[in-house]
Amino acid sequence: MPSEKTLSAKKERVAQLVEMLKNSAAGVLVDYKGITVAQDTELRKQFLRKELREAGVSYFVEKNTILRFALKEAGLDGITNVLEGTTAIAISNDDQTAPARILGKFAEDCKDEKFFLKAGYIGEDVYDEAGVKALSKIPSRETLLAQLVGSLQGPIQKLAATLQAVVDKDNEAA
């Protein structure tokens, strides 16, 4: 039986995680068992410091039992079935695809099944491994907006050229 102090600390950690989960837009659970020291260093240097932090994603390792209690309390108990082995979680408060996109990219780079996506969620919707992999392929919001602007730019330029041709023709006739 854990001491009262230990139990109190665990309950406090669960409460903190519940608050984080409820305030988050999305999250992804990953298994990192067996990655090499070099890969772990790359993950921490390149992905954690640069990409995850720039995207506003929190990434940390948590005990499965504490995470299980927090996920159930936050209403995400459909995701608790993957809480076995080593588990890390990435949580974003703003971007719904950033955790899956960034960690999915790293998982593809590992290729040897030592780092893989377990499951994830967006709001209250829970996704299995295949769903999170599909989410990881979605471009960022900024990229999608740039693609939209690019696709609208061509027809607008054609319209402007056509209108200019009409104005030029009217000027010649006058």
Side-chain angles (χ1 to χ4, degrees):
M1 217 39 209
S3 71
E4 190 65 35
K5 185 177 179 181
T6 304
L7 190 58
S8 173
K10 288 181 179 182
K11 285 182 180 180
E12 186 177 319
R13 181 62 184 153
V14 168
Q16 290 172 346
L17 281 172
V18 168
E19 189 67 26
M20 287 176 72
L21 292 168
K22 285 184 177 180
N23 292 332
S24 67
V28 173
L29 297 173
V30 297
D31 189 334
Y32 61 91
K33 179 175 56 180
I35 63 173
T36 66
V37 172
Q39 289 170 325
D40 185 54
T41 303
E42 178 187 351
L43 172 68
R44 292 181 190 278
K45 286 173 86 176
Q46 180 181 351
F47 287 92
L48 289 183
R49 289 201 181 115
K50 188 172 188 307
E51 294 188 39
L52 289 175
R53 286 190 182 147
E54 285 177 4
V57 177
S58 300
Y59 176 85
F60 54 93
V61 175
E62 191 59 66
K63 290 184 177 184
N64 287 334
T65 53
I66 291 176
L67 200 51
R68 184 174 286 113
F69 283 121
L71 287 167
K72 283 183 180 180
E73 207 171 310
L76 297 166
D77 50 346
I79 204 169
T80 58
N81 60 334
V82 299
L83 294 176
E84 295 177 5
T86 54
T87 304
I89 185 168
I91 297 174
S92 173
N93 292 335
D94 303 319
D95 192 340
Q96 295 180 334
T97 61
R101 189 177 61 251
I102 295 168
L103 293 175
K105 180 179 167 186
F106 184 77
E108 283 181 7
D109 290 348
C110 285
K111 293 180 185 167
D112 52 5
E113 296 295 320
K114 293 181 179 179
F115 184 94
F116 62 92
L117 307 171
K118 288 183 172 185
Y121 68 92
I122 295 179
E124 295 180 1
D125 299 327
V126 174
Y127 297 91
D128 61 358
E129 181 183 356
V132 175
K133 283 183 180 178
L135 286 173
S136 73
K137 306 294 184 209
I138 297 174
S140 69
R141 183 174 190 267
E142 292 78 20
T143 304
L144 290 173
L145 289 173
Q147 289 173 348
L148 175 65
V149 168
S151 66
L152 293 175
Q153 193 172 12
I156 291 173
Q157 285 178 339
K158 287 180 183 177
L159 175 64
T162 303
L163 291 174
Q164 187 62 45
V166 170
V167 169
D168 291 344
K169 185 176 179 183
D170 287 346
N171 286 342
E172 285 178 11

mmCIF file with all atom_site columns, all heavy atoms in Angstrom, residues 25 27 29 71 74-82 118-132 135:
data_model
loop_
_atom_site.group_PDB
_atom_site.id
_atom_site.type_symbol
_atom_site.label_atom_id
_atom_site.label_alt_id
_atom_site.label_comp_id
_atom_site.label_asym_id
_atom_site.label_entity_id
_atom_site.label_seq_id
_atom_site.pdbx_PDB_ins_code
_atom_site.Cartn_x
_atom_site.Cartn_y
_atom_site.Cartn_z
_atom_site.occupancy
_atom_site.B_iso_or_equiv
_atom_site.pdbx_formal_charge
_atom_site.auth_seq_id
_atom_site.auth_comp_id
_atom_site.auth_asym_id
_atom_site.auth_atom_id
_atom_site.pdbx_PDB_model_num
ATOM 1   N N   . ALA A 1 25  ? -6.581  20.547 -27.545 1.00 0.00 ? 25  ALA A N   1
ATOM 2   C CA  . ALA A 1 25  ? -7.317  20.342 -28.791 1.00 0.00 ? 25  ALA A CA  1
ATOM 3   C C   . ALA A 1 25  ? -7.096  18.931 -29.310 1.00 0.00 ? 25  ALA A C   1
ATOM 4   O O   . ALA A 1 25  ? -7.981  18.330 -29.912 1.00 0.00 ? 25  ALA A O   1
ATOM 5   C CB  . ALA A 1 25  ? -6.878  21.350 -29.836 1.00 0.00 ? 25  ALA A CB  1
ATOM 6   N N   . GLY A 1 27  ? -4.208  15.189 -28.952 1.00 0.00 ? 27  GLY A N   1
ATOM 7   C CA  . GLY A 1 27  ? -3.078  14.519 -28.328 1.00 0.00 ? 27  GLY A CA  1
ATOM 8   C C   . GLY A 1 27  ? -2.784  13.202 -29.019 1.00 0.00 ? 27  GLY A C   1
ATOM 9   O O   . GLY A 1 27  ? -3.644  12.629 -29.686 1.00 0.00 ? 27  GLY A O   1
ATOM 10  N N   . LEU A 1 29  ? -0.564  9.409  -28.325 1.00 0.00 ? 29  LEU A N   1
ATOM 11  C CA  . LEU A 1 29  ? 0.219   8.519  -27.487 1.00 0.00 ? 29  LEU A CA  1
ATOM 12  C C   . LEU A 1 29  ? 1.189   7.762  -28.382 1.00 0.00 ? 29  LEU A C   1
ATOM 13  O O   . LEU A 1 29  ? 0.805   7.270  -29.444 1.00 0.00 ? 29  LEU A O   1
ATOM 14  C CB  . LEU A 1 29  ? -0.681  7.521  -26.755 1.00 0.00 ? 29  LEU A CB  1
ATOM 15  C CG  . LEU A 1 29  ? -1.689  8.097  -25.783 1.00 0.00 ? 29  LEU A CG  1
ATOM 16  C CD1 . LEU A 1 29  ? -2.621  7.016  -25.279 1.00 0.00 ? 29  LEU A CD1 1
ATOM 17  C CD2 . LEU A 1 29  ? -1.000  8.773  -24.629 1.00 0.00 ? 29  LEU A CD2 1
ATOM 18  N N   . LEU A 1 71  ? -6.981  9.881  -18.305 1.00 0.00 ? 71  LEU A N   1
ATOM 19  C CA  . LEU A 1 71  ? -7.754  9.755  -19.538 1.00 0.00 ? 71  LEU A CA  1
ATOM 20  C C   . LEU A 1 71  ? -9.205  9.398  -19.250 1.00 0.00 ? 71  LEU A C   1
ATOM 21  O O   . LEU A 1 71  ? -10.128 9.946  -19.866 1.00 0.00 ? 71  LEU A O   1
ATOM 22  C CB  . LEU A 1 71  ? -7.122  8.710  -20.460 1.00 0.00 ? 71  LEU A CB  1
ATOM 23  C CG  . LEU A 1 71  ? -5.820  9.140  -21.142 1.00 0.00 ? 71  LEU A CG  1
ATOM 24  C CD1 . LEU A 1 71  ? -5.119  7.940  -21.757 1.00 0.00 ? 71  LEU A CD1 1
ATOM 25  C CD2 . LEU A 1 71  ? -6.087  10.201 -22.193 1.00 0.00 ? 71  LEU A CD2 1
ATOM 26  N N   . ALA A 1 74  ? -10.975 12.420 -17.890 1.00 0.00 ? 74  ALA A N   1
ATOM 27  C CA  . ALA A 1 74  ? -11.150 13.452 -18.915 1.00 0.00 ? 74  ALA A CA  1
ATOM 28  C C   . ALA A 1 74  ? -12.158 13.035 -19.981 1.00 0.00 ? 74  ALA A C   1
ATOM 29  O O   . ALA A 1 74  ? -12.426 13.783 -20.917 1.00 0.00 ? 74  ALA A O   1
ATOM 30  C CB  . ALA A 1 74  ? -9.813  13.775 -19.562 1.00 0.00 ? 74  ALA A CB  1
ATOM 31  N N   . GLY A 1 75  ? -12.713 11.826 -19.877 1.00 0.00 ? 75  GLY A N   1
ATOM 32  C CA  . GLY A 1 75  ? -13.697 11.359 -20.847 1.00 0.00 ? 75  GLY A CA  1
ATOM 33  C C   . GLY A 1 75  ? -13.091 10.727 -22.081 1.00 0.00 ? 75  GLY A C   1
ATOM 34  O O   . GLY A 1 75  ? -13.753 10.579 -23.097 1.00 0.00 ? 75  GLY A O   1
ATOM 35  N N   . LEU A 1 76  ? -11.829 10.334 -22.008 1.00 0.00 ? 76  LEU A N   1
ATOM 36  C CA  . LEU A 1 76  ? -11.152 9.708  -23.143 1.00 0.00 ? 76  LEU A CA  1
ATOM 37  C C   . LEU A 1 76  ? -10.805 8.254  -22.836 1.00 0.00 ? 76  LEU A C   1
ATOM 38  O O   . LEU A 1 76  ? -9.759  7.758  -23.230 1.00 0.00 ? 76  LEU A O   1
ATOM 39  C CB  . LEU A 1 76  ? -9.874  10.494 -23.470 1.00 0.00 ? 76  LEU A CB  1
ATOM 40  C CG  . LEU A 1 76  ? -10.071 11.936 -23.917 1.00 0.00 ? 76  LEU A CG  1
ATOM 41  C CD1 . LEU A 1 76  ? -8.765  12.697 -23.891 1.00 0.00 ? 76  LEU A CD1 1
ATOM 42  C CD2 . LEU A 1 76  ? -10.696 11.981 -25.298 1.00 0.00 ? 76  LEU A CD2 1
ATOM 43  N N   . ASP A 1 77  ? -11.706 7.555  -22.148 1.00 0.00 ? 77  ASP A N   1
ATOM 44  C CA  . ASP A 1 77  ? -11.386 6.191  -21.736 1.00 0.00 ? 77  ASP A CA  1
ATOM 45  C C   . ASP A 1 77  ? -11.327 5.210  -22.899 1.00 0.00 ? 77  ASP A C   1
ATOM 46  O O   . ASP A 1 77  ? -10.813 4.104  -22.742 1.00 0.00 ? 77  ASP A O   1
ATOM 47  C CB  . ASP A 1 77  ? -12.346 5.701  -20.650 1.00 0.00 ? 77  ASP A CB  1
ATOM 48  C CG  . ASP A 1 77  ? -13.809 5.903  -20.991 1.00 0.00 ? 77  ASP A CG  1
ATOM 49  O OD1 . ASP A 1 77  ? -14.095 6.646  -21.941 1.00 0.00 ? 77  ASP A OD1 1
ATOM 50  O OD2 . ASP A 1 77  ? -14.661 5.323  -20.307 1.00 0.00 ? 77  ASP A OD2 1
ATOM 51  N N   . GLY A 1 78  ? -11.744 5.589  -24.084 1.00 0.00 ? 78  GLY A N   1
ATOM 52  C CA  . GLY A 1 78  ? -11.626 4.730  -25.255 1.00 0.00 ? 78  GLY A CA  1
ATOM 53  C C   . GLY A 1 78  ? -10.190 4.558  -25.723 1.00 0.00 ? 78  GLY A C   1
ATOM 54  O O   . GLY A 1 78  ? -9.901  3.701  -26.551 1.00 0.00 ? 78  GLY A O   1
ATOM 55  N N   . ILE A 1 79  ? -9.295  5.342  -25.193 1.00 0.00 ? 79  ILE A N   1
ATOM 56  C CA  . ILE A 1 79  ? -7.892  5.307  -25.611 1.00 0.00 ? 79  ILE A CA  1
ATOM 57  C C   . ILE A 1 79  ? -7.032  4.510  -24.625 1.00 0.00 ? 79  ILE A C   1
ATOM 58  O O   . ILE A 1 79  ? -5.872  4.228  -24.904 1.00 0.00 ? 79  ILE A O   1
ATOM 59  C CB  . ILE A 1 79  ? -7.378  6.755  -25.757 1.00 0.00 ? 79  ILE A CB  1
ATOM 60  C CG1 . ILE A 1 79  ? -6.201  6.842  -26.709 1.00 0.00 ? 79  ILE A CG1 1
ATOM 61  C CG2 . ILE A 1 79  ? -6.985  7.360  -24.446 1.00 0.00 ? 79  ILE A CG2 1
ATOM 62  C CD1 . ILE A 1 79  ? -5.846  8.267  -27.066 1.00 0.00 ? 79  ILE A CD1 1
ATOM 63  N N   . THR A 1 80  ? -7.581  4.135  -23.492 1.00 0.00 ? 80  THR A N   1
ATOM 64  C CA  . THR A 1 80  ? -6.790  3.499  -22.433 1.00 0.00 ? 80  THR A CA  1
ATOM 65  C C   . THR A 1 80  ? -6.334  2.083  -22.775 1.00 0.00 ? 80  THR A C   1
ATOM 66  O O   . THR A 1 80  ? -5.429  1.568  -22.125 1.00 0.00 ? 80  THR A O   1
ATOM 67  C CB  . THR A 1 80  ? -7.575  3.463  -21.103 1.00 0.00 ? 80  THR A CB  1
ATOM 68  O OG1 . THR A 1 80  ? -8.803  2.746  -21.304 1.00 0.00 ? 80  THR A OG1 1
ATOM 69  C CG2 . THR A 1 80  ? -7.865  4.859  -20.605 1.00 0.00 ? 80  THR A CG2 1
ATOM 70  N N   . ASN A 1 81  ? -6.912  1.461  -23.776 1.00 0.00 ? 81  ASN A N   1
ATOM 71  C CA  . ASN A 1 81  ? -6.544  0.081  -24.122 1.00 0.00 ? 81  ASN A CA  1
ATOM 72  C C   . ASN A 1 81  ? -5.130  -0.042 -24.690 1.00 0.00 ? 81  ASN A C   1
ATOM 73  O O   . ASN A 1 81  ? -4.589  -1.132 -24.765 1.00 0.00 ? 81  ASN A O   1
ATOM 74  C CB  . ASN A 1 81  ? -7.554  -0.517 -25.098 1.00 0.00 ? 81  ASN A CB  1
ATOM 75  C CG  . ASN A 1 81  ? -7.638  0.259  -26.390 1.00 0.00 ? 81  ASN A CG  1
ATOM 76  O OD1 . ASN A 1 81  ? -7.348  1.448  -26.444 1.00 0.00 ? 81  ASN A OD1 1
ATOM 77  N ND2 . ASN A 1 81  ? -8.061  -0.417 -27.436 1.00 0.00 ? 81  ASN A ND2 1
ATOM 78  N N   . VAL A 1 82  ? -4.503  1.061  -25.077 1.00 0.00 ? 82  VAL A N   1
ATOM 79  C CA  . VAL A 1 82  ? -3.144  1.020  -25.642 1.00 0.00 ? 82  VAL A CA  1
ATOM 80  C C   . VAL A 1 82  ? -2.072  1.318  -24.601 1.00 0.00 ? 82  VAL A C   1
ATOM 81  O O   . VAL A 1 82  ? -0.894  1.380  -24.928 1.00 0.00 ? 82  VAL A O   1
ATOM 82  C CB  . VAL A 1 82  ? -2.983  1.988  -26.833 1.00 0.00 ? 82  VAL A CB  1
ATOM 83  C CG1 . VAL A 1 82  ? -3.936  1.623  -27.952 1.00 0.00 ? 82  VAL A CG1 1
ATOM 84  C CG2 . VAL A 1 82  ? -3.161  3.426  -26.396 1.00 0.00 ? 82  VAL A CG2 1
ATOM 85  N N   . LYS A 1 118 ? 0.643   5.066  -31.112 1.00 0.00 ? 118 LYS A N   1
ATOM 86  C CA  . LYS A 1 118 ? -0.285  4.091  -30.529 1.00 0.00 ? 118 LYS A CA  1
ATOM 87  C C   . LYS A 1 118 ? -1.735  4.473  -30.797 1.00 0.00 ? 118 LYS A C   1
ATOM 88  O O   . LYS A 1 118 ? -2.525  3.664  -31.272 1.00 0.00 ? 118 LYS A O   1
ATOM 89  C CB  . LYS A 1 118 ? -0.103  4.012  -29.014 1.00 0.00 ? 118 LYS A CB  1
ATOM 90  C CG  . LYS A 1 118 ? 1.143   3.333  -28.536 1.00 0.00 ? 118 LYS A CG  1
ATOM 91  C CD  . LYS A 1 118 ? 1.100   3.297  -27.015 1.00 0.00 ? 118 LYS A CD  1
ATOM 92  C CE  . LYS A 1 118 ? 2.212   2.479  -26.420 1.00 0.00 ? 118 LYS A CE  1
ATOM 93  N NZ  . LYS A 1 118 ? 2.096   2.363  -24.963 1.00 0.00 ? 118 LYS A NZ  1
ATOM 94  N N   . ALA A 1 119 ? -2.083  5.700  -30.440 1.00 0.00 ? 119 ALA A N   1
ATOM 95  C CA  . ALA A 1 119 ? -3.458  6.181  -30.565 1.00 0.00 ? 119 ALA A CA  1
ATOM 96  C C   . ALA A 1 119 ? -3.446  7.685  -30.357 1.00 0.00 ? 119 ALA A C   1
ATOM 97  O O   . ALA A 1 119 ? -2.412  8.268  -30.043 1.00 0.00 ? 119 ALA A O   1
ATOM 98  C CB  . ALA A 1 119 ? -4.359  5.504  -29.536 1.00 0.00 ? 119 ALA A CB  1
ATOM 99  N N   . GLY A 1 120 ? -4.609  8.303  -30.510 1.00 0.00 ? 120 GLY A N   1
ATOM 100 C CA  . GLY A 1 120 ? -4.693  9.738  -30.305 1.00 0.00 ? 120 GLY A CA  1
ATOM 101 C C   . GLY A 1 120 ? -6.121  10.202 -30.180 1.00 0.00 ? 120 GLY A C   1
ATOM 102 O O   . GLY A 1 120 ? -7.061  9.394  -30.219 1.00 0.00 ? 120 GLY A O   1
ATOM 103 N N   . TYR A 1 121 ? -6.280  11.490 -30.031 1.00 0.00 ? 121 TYR A N   1
ATOM 104 C CA  . TYR A 1 121 ? -7.608  12.071 -29.918 1.00 0.00 ? 121 TYR A CA  1
ATOM 105 C C   . TYR A 1 121 ? -7.595  13.499 -30.450 1.00 0.00 ? 121 TYR A C   1
ATOM 106 O O   . TYR A 1 121 ? -6.574  14.160 -30.474 1.00 0.00 ? 121 TYR A O   1
ATOM 107 C CB  . TYR A 1 121 ? -8.101  12.057 -28.465 1.00 0.00 ? 121 TYR A CB  1
ATOM 108 C CG  . TYR A 1 121 ? -7.321  12.983 -27.558 1.00 0.00 ? 121 TYR A CG  1
ATOM 109 C CD1 . TYR A 1 121 ? -7.740  14.293 -27.341 1.00 0.00 ? 121 TYR A CD1 1
ATOM 110 C CD2 . TYR A 1 121 ? -6.151  12.570 -26.928 1.00 0.00 ? 121 TYR A CD2 1
ATOM 111 C CE1 . TYR A 1 121 ? -7.017  15.147 -26.531 1.00 0.00 ? 121 TYR A CE1 1
ATOM 112 C CE2 . TYR A 1 121 ? -5.433  13.416 -26.121 1.00 0.00 ? 121 TYR A CE2 1
ATOM 113 C CZ  . TYR A 1 121 ? -5.871  14.709 -25.918 1.00 0.00 ? 121 TYR A CZ  1
ATOM 114 O OH  . TYR A 1 121 ? -5.153  15.559 -25.115 1.00 0.00 ? 121 TYR A OH  1
ATOM 115 N N   . ILE A 1 122 ? -8.751  13.910 -30.908 1.00 0.00 ? 122 ILE A N   1
ATOM 116 C CA  . ILE A 1 122 ? -9.011  15.304 -31.249 1.00 0.00 ? 122 ILE A CA  1
ATOM 117 C C   . ILE A 1 122 ? -10.327 15.636 -30.574 1.00 0.00 ? 122 ILE A C   1
ATOM 118 O O   . ILE A 1 122 ? -11.358 15.030 -30.882 1.00 0.00 ? 122 ILE A O   1
ATOM 119 C CB  . ILE A 1 122 ? -9.108  15.544 -32.762 1.00 0.00 ? 122 ILE A CB  1
ATOM 120 C CG1 . ILE A 1 122 ? -7.775  15.280 -33.432 1.00 0.00 ? 122 ILE A CG1 1
ATOM 121 C CG2 . ILE A 1 122 ? -9.585  16.962 -33.049 1.00 0.00 ? 122 ILE A CG2 1
ATOM 122 C CD1 . ILE A 1 122 ? -7.786  15.472 -34.943 1.00 0.00 ? 122 ILE A CD1 1
ATOM 123 N N   . GLY A 1 123 ? -10.283 16.567 -29.637 1.00 0.00 ? 123 GLY A N   1
ATOM 124 C CA  . GLY A 1 123 ? -11.472 16.870 -28.843 1.00 0.00 ? 123 GLY A CA  1
ATOM 125 C C   . GLY A 1 123 ? -11.871 15.642 -28.054 1.00 0.00 ? 123 GLY A C   1
ATOM 126 O O   . GLY A 1 123 ? -11.094 15.137 -27.244 1.00 0.00 ? 123 GLY A O   1
ATOM 127 N N   . GLU A 1 124 ? -13.059 15.135 -28.299 1.00 0.00 ? 124 GLU A N   1
ATOM 128 C CA  . GLU A 1 124 ? -13.526 13.921 -27.623 1.00 0.00 ? 124 GLU A CA  1
ATOM 129 C C   . GLU A 1 124 ? -13.482 12.699 -28.535 1.00 0.00 ? 124 GLU A C   1
ATOM 130 O O   . GLU A 1 124 ? -13.853 11.598 -28.124 1.00 0.00 ? 124 GLU A O   1
ATOM 131 C CB  . GLU A 1 124 ? -14.941 14.132 -27.088 1.00 0.00 ? 124 GLU A CB  1
ATOM 132 C CG  . GLU A 1 124 ? -14.996 15.188 -25.993 1.00 0.00 ? 124 GLU A CG  1
ATOM 133 C CD  . GLU A 1 124 ? -16.404 15.408 -25.467 1.00 0.00 ? 124 GLU A CD  1
ATOM 134 O OE1 . GLU A 1 124 ? -17.333 14.722 -25.933 1.00 0.00 ? 124 GLU A OE1 1
ATOM 135 O OE2 . GLU A 1 124 ? -16.559 16.269 -24.589 1.00 0.00 ? 124 GLU A OE2 1
ATOM 136 N N   . ASP A 1 125 ? -13.044 12.888 -29.784 1.00 0.00 ? 125 ASP A N   1
ATOM 137 C CA  . ASP A 1 125 ? -12.967 11.785 -30.743 1.00 0.00 ? 125 ASP A CA  1
ATOM 138 C C   . ASP A 1 125 ? -11.644 11.053 -30.583 1.00 0.00 ? 125 ASP A C   1
ATOM 139 O O   . ASP A 1 125 ? -10.578 11.657 -30.643 1.00 0.00 ? 125 ASP A O   1
ATOM 140 C CB  . ASP A 1 125 ? -13.094 12.305 -32.173 1.00 0.00 ? 125 ASP A CB  1
ATOM 141 C CG  . ASP A 1 125 ? -14.422 12.996 -32.421 1.00 0.00 ? 125 ASP A CG  1
ATOM 142 O OD1 . ASP A 1 125 ? -15.428 12.580 -31.817 1.00 0.00 ? 125 ASP A OD1 1
ATOM 143 O OD2 . ASP A 1 125 ? -14.447 13.950 -33.224 1.00 0.00 ? 125 ASP A OD2 1
ATOM 144 N N   . VAL A 1 126 ? -11.723 9.735  -30.421 1.00 0.00 ? 126 VAL A N   1
ATOM 145 C CA  . VAL A 1 126 ? -10.547 8.897  -30.207 1.00 0.00 ? 126 VAL A CA  1
ATOM 146 C C   . VAL A 1 126 ? -10.197 8.185  -31.517 1.00 0.00 ? 126 VAL A C   1
ATOM 147 O O   . VAL A 1 126 ? -11.080 7.712  -32.230 1.00 0.00 ? 126 VAL A O   1
ATOM 148 C CB  . VAL A 1 126 ? -10.813 7.866  -29.087 1.00 0.00 ? 126 VAL A CB  1
ATOM 149 C CG1 . VAL A 1 126 ? -9.666  6.896  -28.945 1.00 0.00 ? 126 VAL A CG1 1
ATOM 150 C CG2 . VAL A 1 126 ? -11.072 8.589  -27.769 1.00 0.00 ? 126 VAL A CG2 1
ATOM 151 N N   . TYR A 1 127 ? -8.890  8.118  -31.825 1.00 0.00 ? 127 TYR A N   1
ATOM 152 C CA  . TYR A 1 127 ? -8.401  7.483  -33.046 1.00 0.00 ? 127 TYR A CA  1
ATOM 153 C C   . TYR A 1 127 ? -7.428  6.368  -32.696 1.00 0.00 ? 127 TYR A C   1
ATOM 154 O O   . TYR A 1 127 ? -6.595  6.526  -31.808 1.00 0.00 ? 127 TYR A O   1
ATOM 155 C CB  . TYR A 1 127 ? -7.696  8.501  -33.950 1.00 0.00 ? 127 TYR A CB  1
ATOM 156 C CG  . TYR A 1 127 ? -8.612  9.599  -34.429 1.00 0.00 ? 127 TYR A CG  1
ATOM 157 C CD1 . TYR A 1 127 ? -8.744  10.780 -33.709 1.00 0.00 ? 127 TYR A CD1 1
ATOM 158 C CD2 . TYR A 1 127 ? -9.359  9.444  -35.585 1.00 0.00 ? 127 TYR A CD2 1
ATOM 159 C CE1 . TYR A 1 127 ? -9.595  11.785 -34.133 1.00 0.00 ? 127 TYR A CE1 1
ATOM 160 C CE2 . TYR A 1 127 ? -10.206 10.442 -36.017 1.00 0.00 ? 127 TYR A CE2 1
ATOM 161 C CZ  . TYR A 1 127 ? -10.326 11.612 -35.290 1.00 0.00 ? 127 TYR A CZ  1
ATOM 162 O OH  . TYR A 1 127 ? -11.170 12.591 -35.709 1.00 0.00 ? 127 TYR A OH  1
ATOM 163 N N   . ASP A 1 128 ? -7.513  5.272  -33.429 1.00 0.00 ? 128 ASP A N   1
ATOM 164 C CA  . ASP A 1 128 ? -6.559  4.178  -33.241 1.00 0.00 ? 128 ASP A CA  1
ATOM 165 C C   . ASP A 1 128 ? -5.276  4.504  -34.014 1.00 0.00 ? 128 ASP A C   1
ATOM 166 O O   . ASP A 1 128 ? -5.128  5.594  -34.558 1.00 0.00 ? 128 ASP A O   1
ATOM 167 C CB  . ASP A 1 128 ? -7.162  2.843  -33.692 1.00 0.00 ? 128 ASP A CB  1
ATOM 168 C CG  . ASP A 1 128 ? -7.528  2.827  -35.173 1.00 0.00 ? 128 ASP A CG  1
ATOM 169 O OD1 . ASP A 1 128 ? -7.358  3.853  -35.874 1.00 0.00 ? 128 ASP A OD1 1
ATOM 170 O OD2 . ASP A 1 128 ? -7.983  1.769  -35.643 1.00 0.00 ? 128 ASP A OD2 1
ATOM 171 N N   . GLU A 1 129 ? -4.373  3.555  -34.064 1.00 0.00 ? 129 GLU A N   1
ATOM 172 C CA  . GLU A 1 129 ? -3.081  3.771  -34.723 1.00 0.00 ? 129 GLU A CA  1
ATOM 173 C C   . GLU A 1 129 ? -3.257  4.191  -36.184 1.00 0.00 ? 129 GLU A C   1
ATOM 174 O O   . GLU A 1 129 ? -2.615  5.132  -36.650 1.00 0.00 ? 129 GLU A O   1
ATOM 175 C CB  . GLU A 1 129 ? -2.236  2.503  -34.637 1.00 0.00 ? 129 GLU A CB  1
ATOM 176 C CG  . GLU A 1 129 ? -0.881  2.636  -35.273 1.00 0.00 ? 129 GLU A CG  1
ATOM 177 C CD  . GLU A 1 129 ? -0.077  1.335  -35.251 1.00 0.00 ? 129 GLU A CD  1
ATOM 178 O OE1 . GLU A 1 129 ? -0.543  0.349  -34.675 1.00 0.00 ? 129 GLU A OE1 1
ATOM 179 O OE2 . GLU A 1 129 ? 1.019   1.337  -35.826 1.00 0.00 ? 129 GLU A OE2 1
ATOM 180 N N   . ALA A 1 130 ? -4.137  3.511  -36.910 1.00 0.00 ? 130 ALA A N   1
ATOM 181 C CA  . ALA A 1 130 ? -4.359  3.840  -38.324 1.00 0.00 ? 130 ALA A CA  1
ATOM 182 C C   . ALA A 1 130 ? -4.940  5.247  -38.473 1.00 0.00 ? 130 ALA A C   1
ATOM 183 O O   . ALA A 1 130 ? -4.552  5.988  -39.380 1.00 0.00 ? 130 ALA A O   1
ATOM 184 C CB  . ALA A 1 130 ? -5.293  2.816  -38.964 1.00 0.00 ? 130 ALA A CB  1
ATOM 185 N N   . GLY A 1 131 ? -5.841  5.624  -37.586 1.00 0.00 ? 131 GLY A N   1
ATOM 186 C CA  . GLY A 1 131 ? -6.429  6.954  -37.633 1.00 0.00 ? 131 GLY A CA  1
ATOM 187 C C   . GLY A 1 131 ? -5.402  8.045  -37.370 1.00 0.00 ? 131 GLY A C   1
ATOM 188 O O   . GLY A 1 131 ? -5.407  9.090  -38.015 1.00 0.00 ? 131 GLY A O   1
ATOM 189 N N   . VAL A 1 132 ? -4.509  7.792  -36.411 1.00 0.00 ? 132 VAL A N   1
ATOM 190 C CA  . VAL A 1 132 ? -3.471  8.775  -36.102 1.00 0.00 ? 132 VAL A CA  1
ATOM 191 C C   . VAL A 1 132 ? -2.483  8.882  -37.262 1.00 0.00 ? 132 VAL A C   1
ATOM 192 O O   . VAL A 1 132 ? -2.025  9.974  -37.599 1.00 0.00 ? 132 VAL A O   1
ATOM 193 C CB  . VAL A 1 132 ? -2.755  8.424  -34.778 1.00 0.00 ? 132 VAL A CB  1
ATOM 194 C CG1 . VAL A 1 132 ? -1.598  9.366  -34.512 1.00 0.00 ? 132 VAL A CG1 1
ATOM 195 C CG2 . VAL A 1 132 ? -3.725  8.466  -33.628 1.00 0.00 ? 132 VAL A CG2 1
ATOM 196 N N   . LEU A 1 135 ? -4.082  11.054 -39.733 1.00 0.00 ? 135 LEU A N   1
ATOM 197 C CA  . LEU A 1 135 ? -3.995  12.451 -39.277 1.00 0.00 ? 135 LEU A CA  1
ATOM 198 C C   . LEU A 1 135 ? -2.606  13.029 -39.509 1.00 0.00 ? 135 LEU A C   1
ATOM 199 O O   . LEU A 1 135 ? -2.455  14.215 -39.788 1.00 0.00 ? 135 LEU A O   1
ATOM 200 C CB  . LEU A 1 135 ? -4.324  12.551 -37.787 1.00 0.00 ? 135 LEU A CB  1
ATOM 201 C CG  . LEU A 1 135 ? -5.779  12.413 -37.375 1.00 0.00 ? 135 LEU A CG  1
ATOM 202 C CD1 . LEU A 1 135 ? -5.891  12.368 -35.856 1.00 0.00 ? 135 LEU A CD1 1
ATOM 203 C CD2 . LEU A 1 135 ? -6.607  13.550 -37.934 1.00 0.00 ? 135 LEU A CD2 1
#
